[in-house]
Amino acid sequence: MDFVEVATHVLTSSDGPSGLLPARQQMALSLGWHIVLACFGVAFPTMIYVVHRRGIVRDDAVALALAKRWAKVSAVLFAIGAVSGTVLSFEMGLLWPGLMGRFGDVLGLPFAFEGLSFFVEAIFLGIYLYGWGRMPARRHLAMLIPMGVAGVVGTFCVVAVNAWMNNPTGFRLVEGEVTDVNPWRAMFNDGVWLQFAHMWVAAFMVVGFVVAGVYAAGMLRGRVDAHHRLGFTVPFAFATVAALVQPFIGHVLGLRIATTQPSKLAAFELATTTEQPAPLRLGGILVDGQVRGAIDIPRIGSLIARNSFDEPVPGLDSIPPGDRPPVNITHLAFQSMVGIGTLLAAAVAVYWIARWRRRDLTGHRWFLRGAVVAGPLAVLAMESGWIATEVGRQPWTVWQVLRTTDAASESAGLWWSYAGAVVVYVGMTIGAVVVLRSMARRWRAGEEDLPSPYGPGDSPVDQARSR
Amino acid sequence: MSLAVVVALAMFAGIVLYGLFGGADFGSGFFDLTAGGSERGGELRILIDHSIGPVWEANHVWLIYILVIWWTGFPVSFAAATTTLMLPLALALVGIVLRGASFAFRKYSATLAQARLFGAVFAGSSLITPFFLGAAAGAVASGRVPAEGNGDPLDSWLHPTSLFGGLIAVGTCAFLAGVFLTADAARSGHGVLAETLRTRTLGVGAATGVIVFVALVPIKQDSPTLSDRLLGPAAPLIVASAVAGSATLVLLLRRRYGPARLGAAAAVASVLIGWGVAQYPWMLVDEVKIADAAGAPATLWGLLVVVGLAGVIVVPALAYLFWLTQSERWTQEA
């Protein structure tokens, strides 16, 4: 079965309400798009703080100019992040009325707290962006602190809802009715802390590698100066810590799955039968119940999933067919995440070891190329992680409580909604790329403030035109 | 007063604040759209940029606040509304996305052509969103959202109450924006611009006032439950809105822009609160009462904790932001 067949199979095999498939597609698109911006909302203020503070404390003009530029970039990114986050709020109801109508009062409280942190972030973003030159420097810098804190709290809250979908608690089902609701117990469910840590660190990986990659690209083109060095080093340092910590968090988080979601683990590991000890199955896909093209490494599967060389990994044969997730997507997404994460951790380790031995790898073109690619790779790893955990939870929206077929909208119009979403997101992506690239181009040309182009006759654009 | 009603009040407070602050942001799109060519309209567009730039994201969060309280506190009615009003809500959402994104893109556009494109999208989408949110509110208020959800996708909002609701929303947004922008223009020394804005705002204000009162006639036919209370317990608020609106127009004529802002806010708030009073005690008019729509009590208490924290954390921070934007130092160098 080639990829097209697999895709067709996945696309046609869903039996459920007519809204199920478009709802899934639209949710995947909008969540997958927003999560990248959300990472910037979470991690970028902290990085800007470090650079901005250096500019003030050391009277470092290069650092200050860098912070100013990052602030302008964040103005664009946070705006599209805010609106794409709003899309998700609407979609909770538009796409998943079966989830929100029945469980809204169980899972909703963390969203309400997230609303508070979104408020704080938006307010202090407004002050920070427009505060340049209009406030005392130290106070202006301090405006980033509530933004950073709001990023942490916001991550916790949003991830808490997802963790609840994986570990539903804080209510009882009595003959199908939701009773004994305890929203605090739901919010602080058993999976929340590790999942939160995993995503929070992922945000620093994504932003760190992406931003560092931008300056690595500049250095590749010969722009090796203090500006590019600082622009590379600060985010790379954040990415380093995150990339080195992440495998441990991911491992501990993964250890829970054997007991909490065995079917997800079976899909992660491409385990058709329960094996003890289980091998690590690299790559491969499941075709007609047979594993094809995988490389087995004995015992390592047990080590990764169970932290032991001989504990069993549950197989798909122990799961009723109706409760099995789509295996291939889950498996490949999971291994992409782990593979890329491991690669990135190794790469940063090499960089810092070399630096400790007084060799600066940023002078090597192959390293800079790698640093450029690390940004998209980090994004890919994070997206793969979300695909793995979300697809791996299927057929459940709320683990063993609510099936996705029962959560989805019954509306027949959702394909139109999805088509509209595709158009809007493509347009927004193009707009963002065009604007961000034009900002970078003007900065390289020596402009610093980027005044509005629609001024009454005297804007730089008009001057350039009349010349 | 029951716990459910307290939470509903907290949610409704968010609606009023979103109507005032978010409304003024959206309304500025009307003036951006009618500002004229890039040469003539540049000054006004820079003023709009400067006026709503620092605050629009914070003002936008009131919508999130409303949504999360709704689905957490009154989940079944939320699902009923989203499955019935999919079309107006999706269109409002498109407006929200396009407005926010193109506003940010326009500010950093490299060329005039780009700025024109993003500007047109920003201004147009700023009108779409209030219209469809107003239409959705009209559907709820006129009893067209069935308690079990999945109501008629078109008939639920293609009727006089919703359509007037949409028009009133657009008009009140533009009126608020006009008054605020006029005051901002006068304060930052753009005298000629302030005069132009003043004239337009007077027109918008008069037109909106007419729409609000004309709307009472079809609403009486279309939504008996709502109109009975609009002309009953809510009548003082409708009168208050008329008085505040007229006073605002007089203040604008006399170029008393500072007090005019308060008058405009009072007029719009009265309309919104009038709707709230008229809709009480229904969550979805004629279908579900607030008390019956409420979720688990423990969750309602949790929401009150959130509302309390909003009072302690968000309100002072917002006040600081607005204080800064009104301060001398921030008004300069527009």
Side-chain angles (χ1 to χ4, degrees), chain A residues 301-355:
Chain A
S302 286
L303 180 69
I304 288 176
R306 308 297 309 269
N307 219 15
S308 136
F309 281 106
D310 46 16
E311 292 274 334
V313 168
L316 287 165
D317 58 348
S318 61
I319 316 288
D323 290 352
R324 290 177 196 165
V327 177
N328 287 325
I329 297 178
T330 309
H331 171 66
L332 293 176
F334 176 73
Q335 291 208 327
S336 304
M337 172 191 76
V338 174
I340 295 170
T342 311
L343 179 72
L344 292 174
V348 295
V350 167
Y351 171 85
W352 289 104
I353 289 169
R355 189 154 161 161

Side-chain angles (χ1 to χ4, degrees), chain A residues 86 93 105 108 139 414 442 453-454, chain B residues 42 49 60 82 108 112 296 299:
Chain A
T86 308
D105 56 348
R139 200 197 303 165
L414 281 190
R442 282 177 283 162
Y454 42 88
Chain B
D49 201 88
H60 167 75
T82 54
Y108 293 108
L112 201 57
T299 305

Side-chain angles (χ1 to χ4, degrees), chain B residues 238-250:
Chain B
I238 305 301
V239 174
S241 164
V243 172
S246 313
T248 310
L249 295 182
V250 172

Side-chain angles (χ1 to χ4, degrees), chain A residues 242-253:
Chain A
L244 292 176
V245 172
Q246 189 69 300
F248 295 98
I249 299 174
H251 179 61
V252 180
L253 178 62

Side-chain angles (χ1 to χ4, degrees), chain A residues 26 71-73 75-76 78-80 82-94 97-98 100-109 111-113 115-116 118-120 122-136 139 143 181-184 409-411 413-414 417 424-425 427-435 438-439 441-442 449-457 459 461-462 465, chain B residues 38-43 45-46 49-50 52-65 67-69 71-73 75-76 78-79 81-83 85-87 89-90 92-94 96-101 103-116 118 133 150 294-296 298-303 305-307 309-310 313-315 317-318 320-321 323-324 329-334:
Chain A
Q26 186 173 334
K72 288 189 165 69
V73 170
V76 174
F78 289 14
I80 54 181
V83 296
S84 59
T86 308
V87 173
L88 295 173
S89 298
F90 276 77
E91 284 177 347
M92 296 303 288
L94 293 174
M100 298 314 287
R102 255 184 100 194
F103 295 98
D105 56 348
V106 185
L107 64 80
L109 197 58
F111 278 130
F113 281 100
L116 287 186
F118 184 17
F119 247 132
V120 169
I123 292 166
F124 287 97
L125 173 71
I127 299 177
Y128 182 69
L129 290 182
Y130 284 77
W132 289 94
R134 297 189 176 110
M135 298 172 80
R139 200 197 303 165
M143 297 299 117
V181 176
N182 180 348
W184 304 98
S409 167
E410 291 162 21
S411 168
L414 281 190
S417 159
V424 169
Y425 278 99
M428 204 154 50
T429 308
I430 294 173
V433 170
V434 166
V435 169
S438 87
M439 289 164 76
R441 197 170 54 239
R442 282 177 283 162
D449 280 342
L450 309 185
S452 306
Y454 42 88
S459 79
V461 181
D462 293 342
R465 286 176 150 210
Chain B
S38 47
E39 191 87 5
R40 194 159 59 91
E43 191 186 11
R45 294 196 173 102
I46 288 178
D49 201 88
H50 196 256
I52 76 171
V55 296
W56 76 268
E57 285 185 84
N59 292 339
H60 167 75
V61 185
W62 286 114
L63 176 63
I64 308 294
Y65 169 93
L67 289 175
V68 295
I69 294 192
W71 81 45
T72 309
V76 179
F78 174 74
T82 54
T83 50
L85 301 172
M86 193 183 145
L87 207 51
L89 290 178
L93 182 58
V94 169
I96 287 168
V97 171
L98 294 180
R99 192 276 300 238
F103 180 69
F105 292 163
R106 177 173 81 169
K107 183 168 166 55
Y108 293 108
S109 287
T111 66
L112 201 57
Q114 274 180 23
R116 277 205 188 109
F118 291 133
L133 287 180
N150 290 304
T299 305
L300 298 182
W301 280 112
L303 282 175
V305 172
V306 173
V307 172
L309 282 175
I313 298 169
V314 173
V315 172
L318 263 182
Y320 181 50
L321 170 65
W323 175 78
L324 279 175
R329 212 167 163 190
W330 281 52
T331 314
Q332 305 300 316
E333 52 183 337

Side-chain angles (χ1 to χ4, degrees), chain B residues 225-320:
Chain B
T225 308
L226 182 75
S227 59
D228 279 358
R229 285 188 58 92
L230 265 182
L231 302 173
L237 285 156
I238 305 301
V239 174
S241 164
V243 172
S246 313
T248 310
L249 295 182
V250 172
L251 289 166
L252 277 177
L253 276 172
R254 296 187 172 182
R255 298 186 176 77
R256 299 278 309 278
Y257 301 132
R261 292 190 299 189
L262 290 178
V268 174
S270 305
V271 171
L272 285 167
I273 298 172
W275 160 44
V277 170
Q279 172 151 347
Y280 185 82
W282 299 99
M283 191 73 204
L284 304 172
V285 171
D286 292 340
E287 292 283 332
V288 190
K289 294 195 169 165
I290 292 170
D292 302 323
T299 305
L300 298 182
W301 280 112
L303 282 175
L304 288 185
V305 172
V306 173
V307 172
L309 282 175
V312 179
I313 298 169
V314 173
V315 172
L318 263 182
Y320 181 50

